[in-house]
Amino acid sequence: MSALLLITDDLQRGQRLARSLGSRGPCHVHDLYEDKLPPPLFDLIVSDVEALTSDAIIRLRRALAQVRTTGLPYLFLVHGNAARAEVQARLLGASATANLQQMLSALDQLQGAPIPHSARATAAEARQFFQEALFSGGAITPDVADAGTDLVVRAVSESGVYDWVRAVRQFDDATHQHCLIVAALAAAFSGALGLRVADRHRLTRAALLHDVGKIHVPIEILNKPGRLTHSELVVMRTHAALGHAMLVNGAFDDELLAAVRSHHEMLDGTGYPDGLKGWEIPDFVRLVTVCDVFGALIERRSYRPPLPGGEAYGIVQGMVRQLDGDLTRAFHPIAAAFDPSV
């Protein structure tokens, strides 16, 4: 679910508002006159400030500067003098304004349309399969992987990549969420490239299994609420080789094994685990890597909210030395599904 930050000058009123928003996800209520702010890990900000004094505006501007990241929607709730509030909202860079009666519909517009039931249902089915068949600790066979791949391809075909990814982003387990998102992006990307059905299946299957080695990474590192230290990052980076070792004797094809081991390799040689560069990285691996990078950027992380599709694609385009330029340009239709302005 989306996480919301409510900044208020009346804690009791703010807590009542938070209870009314409970179905939309976790809501953190912050007292405008308390200096210590929570980490900027929210998908949307709402300000509920009735007394718009000079001090209140200064405090609100300071709070927004600390917690609002680029593209993060911000709803300014209007109390009393609407004209004055509208001026203040514009000065603060609000995405929208609304009174208390209009609040829910305004949030719907800022957060996007409701996720279709069909997308939620297939995402839940995929998550259950992922937990029970792929990340349960048991042996992973090509038949099991194929079943999961068929499920993802069908879900993306029926729901569209945008709605299905939105549904998957509601999951609280970052690894499950990431693998299913990257698989969905691979299914959509391979379709946009016009690949044959069999090739689309192979690419999606590789994307689905690309991070399977994380089952061997300690949970306290996987789910750490913050950036990893150098030593923790070293451990995290073992997942690529560990995943390859898990699958190498399981009758999987060489392309899939290469994608699992090498999806963090970069064209300039700065990747891992083998420091491959240029022609040493097969096209199949490069396809998975583009999906992996974009997927990571549009997901919530413990230290930041998900990036908007346009901002994420801009970062991917800027990685001209690391990623295949032709493939990043070809990825444009997929990025546009998350941000039509791209």
Side-chain angles (χ1 to χ4, degrees), residues 116-120 122-123 154-164:
H117 174 74
S118 59
R120 288 184 181 275
T122 51
R154 171 173 56 82
V156 171
S157 298
E158 292 175 356
S159 301
V161 67
Y162 174 69
D163 281 336
W164 199 71

Side-chain angles (χ1 to χ4, degrees), residues 318-341:
M319 296 176 66
V320 291
R321 297 184 60 194
Q322 291 86 27
L323 303 178
D324 188 300
D326 291 335
L327 292 180
T328 58
R329 286 186 288 273
F331 193 78
H332 178 269
I334 311 308
F338 295 86
D339 187 346
S341 66

Side-chain angles (χ1 to χ4, degrees), residues 173-253:
D173 186 293
T175 301
H176 297 166
Q177 180 191 106
H178 178 66
C179 289
L180 290 169
I181 285 177
V182 176
L185 293 171
F189 191 19
S190 54
L193 291 171
L195 300 185
R196 297 176 305 168
V197 172
D199 292 333
R200 186 182 187 191
H201 182 95
R202 286 168 44 241
L203 183 66
T204 305
R205 181 173 66 164
L208 186 67
L209 297 181
H210 80 287
D211 266 354
V212 71
K214 286 184 178 177
I215 196 171
H216 296 299
V217 175
I219 194 70
E220 60 270 20
I221 292 179
L222 280 178
N223 295 335
K224 181 181 177 180
R227 291 186 181 274
L228 300 180
T229 65
H230 175 72
S231 59
E232 290 168 338
L233 190 59
V234 170
V235 175
M236 177 67 86
R237 287 185 170 184
T238 63
H239 78 271
L242 290 171
H244 177 267
M246 285 174 61
L247 303 178
V248 71
N249 294 317
F252 287 99
D253 59 77

